[in-house]
Amino acid sequence: MRDRHVHASSWRVSCLKCPPRLSSHEGSTTCDLCDEGFFKRNESAQVHEDSDLCEPCPEHGACPRGTTIASIRLNPGFWRDSLATSTIYACEGNLSNGHPFERSLS
């Protein structure tokens, strides 16, 4: 988790860790991103320290810091119906990279 600047007093700046599931941009004063391993389902929702908006990354997916439902990356050999779902399916047989919503890690 990245630290955030939360207040300045007496010429001192203190930093606190973002709550679990949340992160921030470098130098930010708010925790407005989902942390690595989590994604934001509602892309228009403002996170602002509400960690309930950040859901665990689905199995067979990868969620770097700042991931939204549309940007979930998929392990090779997996696909999903659309960029609006977090349900991930295994490709059958030797199919790979053939589905339009497969965003592979490779």
Side-chain angles (χ1 to χ4, degrees), residues 28-68:
S28 178
T29 59
T30 61
C31 297
D32 56 357
L33 299 174
C34 292
D35 204 1
E36 182 175 356
F38 299 91
F39 73 96
K40 184 167 63 166
R41 181 173 298 279
N42 182 347
E43 294 185 46
S44 63
Q46 297 297 315
V47 174
H48 298 296
E49 301 187 19
D50 183 358
S51 63
D52 290 340
L53 294 174
C54 297
E55 299 183 24
C57 196
E59 186 175 3
H60 307 298
C63 299
R65 184 174 60 95
T67 297
T68 63

Side-chain angles (χ1 to χ4, degrees), residues 2-8 13-19 23-32 48-49:
R2 295 189 180 240
D3 292 340
R4 65 181 173 131
H5 301 284
V6 292
H7 62 83
V13 176
S14 298
C15 297
L16 298 175
K17 294 242 183 239
C18 290
S23 187
S24 65
H25 293 285
E26 189 72 34
S28 178
T29 59
T30 61
C31 297
D32 56 357
H48 298 296
E49 301 187 19

